[in-house]
Amino acid sequence: MGAGNHTGVSQFLLLGLSDDPELQPLLFGVFLSMYLVTVLGNLLIILAVISDSQLHTPMYFFLANLSFVDICFISTTVPKMLVNIQAQSKDISYIGCLTQVYLFMVFAGMDDFLLTVMAYDRFVAICHPLHYMVIMNPRFCGLLVLMCWLIIFCVALVHILLLRRLTFCIGTEIPHFFCELAQILKAACSDTLINNICLYVATALLCIFPLTGILFSYSQIVSSLMRISSAVGKYKVFFTCGSHLSVVSLFYGTSLGVYLTSTLTHSSQRSSVVSVMYTVVTPMLNPFIYSLRNKDVKGALGRLLSRSAPCP
């Protein structure tokens, strides 16, 4: 690492998941496969929701938005890693790194917000079924999604503006496979107190508040569930919420795992390996969770594929 500060640093070095040259072809194949499966799976969900009139409901509108965000989320990090592995390079430009930080925060935050909005949708559907279509009308659903985008755009922009004022050393190394905000702050050569304060505030906004909203929604759902005497009715409620609960558990479980790993261990490499779970694995599994546990989605996918199949 070079000596001295350099405010006009042109690039950083992403250390990736492993320095072992023998592992690079394996990593390239595995992550390329996971990326293609993620894009294809989420794209099929979007096309199924758009093409099937039976899925033109608030729940599937939010699901299509979640699939779009997941495609963008994984596209923010994995393609650059694949390019670096293929080119046997670790470079990422300063502007490219800031862009990656911004997009990563936007799409990770949108995942949080959309999961919260979907929990609210299930709360209204189960606890206020007679008023569901009035409350969750198309205009309100669109405004919810638009508000989520506006909030996360502003939050991420604040972090980028604060990041621009920092100085970095020439040859700054980031022990990760993408530009993560926390790792960049650790690598900065100037004071990062304000940045860290904003990071904690953003963590509360993007994690604690949405998770509180999800827990509140499901506490009300469970309360309504207890008042249902029919076993069939209880099963329908559980079936309706099962896919969403699985995705929420997967997303927050892996995010918590990354946080605990980074807190309990000083190994940045181990933390970056664990972060693969929520940056790559979770977006890949979401389409399978929703399609395998949902008869409506499976039926729509079947009709979509049958229409696209060539006639004999």
Side-chain angles (χ1 to χ4, degrees):
M1 185 177 291
N5 292 347
H6 182 59
T7 55
V9 62
S10 61
Q11 66 181 22
F12 297 129
L13 298 176
L14 293 173
L15 299 186
L17 295 173
S18 174
D19 291 326
D20 189 348
E22 295 182 359
L23 280 179
Q24 300 309 308
L26 176 62
L27 289 175
F28 182 86
V30 169
F31 279 91
L32 177 61
S33 301
M34 295 172 75
Y35 178 71
L36 293 177
V37 169
T38 302
V39 173
L40 179 61
N42 283 289
L43 190 58
L44 284 174
I45 294 289
I46 295 173
L47 292 176
V49 172
I50 293 174
S51 64
D52 199 304
S53 59
Q54 296 182 21
L55 301 185
H56 291 176
T57 63
M59 179 173 69
Y60 296 111
F61 169 73
F62 295 132
L63 176 59
N65 276 274
L66 181 67
S67 294
F68 170 74
V69 168
D70 279 340
I71 292 175
C72 297
F73 188 32
I74 194 171
S75 297
T76 301
T77 58
V78 172
K80 177 57 180 175
M81 181 181 67
L82 294 176
V83 169
N84 281 4
I85 292 176
Q86 186 66 20
Q88 297 182 356
S89 170
K90 297 180 179 180
D91 297 346
I92 183 170
S93 67
Y94 175 73
I95 296 299
C97 190
L98 293 188
T99 302
Q100 199 174 64
V101 171
Y102 181 78
L103 294 177
F104 182 84
M105 288 195 66
V106 166
F107 297 125
M110 277 303 297
D111 257 341
D112 271 349
F113 286 156
L114 284 174
L115 290 175
T116 307
V117 170
M118 292 171 78
Y120 176 73
D121 172 73
R122 292 299 83 207
F123 157 70
V124 176
I126 294 169
C127 299
H128 304 284
L130 298 180
H131 301 93
Y132 177 69
M133 294 310 299
V134 176
I135 297 174
M136 303 302 294
N137 60 76
R139 182 180 179 183
F140 180 66
C141 293
L143 285 174
L144 278 177
V145 174
L146 178 61
M147 184 176 64
C148 292
W149 281 111
L150 291 176
I151 291 174
I152 195 60
F153 278 148
C154 293
V155 171
L157 182 60
V158 169
H159 281 285
I160 294 303
L161 293 176
L162 290 174
L163 206 56
R164 290 276 296 176
R165 52 184 282 277
L166 299 181
T167 57
F168 298 90
C169 298
I170 298 174
T172 295
E173 296 180 344
I174 301 174
H176 219 303
F177 66 94
F178 67 95
C179 288
E180 193 212 11
L181 180 58
Q183 296 293 340
I184 294 178
L185 294 181
K186 290 179 182 178
C189 298
S190 53
D191 182 54
T192 60
L193 177 61
I194 297 177
N195 298 75
N196 284 317
I197 292 173
C198 286
L199 180 59
Y200 294 139
V201 172
T203 301
L205 175 64
L206 303 181
C207 294
I208 297 177
F209 289 165
L211 182 58
T212 302
I214 293 173
L215 293 176
F216 173 78
S217 295
Y218 274 102
S219 68
Q220 298 301 307
I221 291 173
V222 171
S223 178
S224 295
L225 187 64
M226 293 297 101
R227 294 195 293 268
I228 299 176
S229 57
S230 168
V232 176
K234 290 182 179 181
Y235 173 77
K236 286 183 178 179
V237 172
F238 178 77
F239 181 79
T240 302
C241 302
S243 299
H244 181 258
L245 275 175
S246 300
V247 172
V248 169
S249 301
L250 184 62
F251 184 82
Y252 280 99
T254 53
S255 301
L256 182 61
V258 172
Y259 174 77
L260 291 177
T261 301
S262 60
T263 302
L264 299 177
T265 179
H266 298 289
S267 173
S268 299
Q269 181 119 15
R270 184 176 299 178
S271 177
S272 65
V273 171
V274 175
S275 69
V276 171
M277 287 299 297
Y278 82 96
T279 57
V280 181
V281 176
T282 299
M284 181 183 69
L285 293 181
N286 284 354
F288 293 99
I289 293 173
Y290 276 105
S291 60
L292 293 178
R293 294 178 58 91
N294 192 304
K295 293 181 181 179
D296 293 335
V297 175
K298 283 194 290 187
L301 286 173
R303 289 187 289 272
L304 175 67
L305 294 176
S306 64
R307 286 198 299 269
S308 61
C311 296

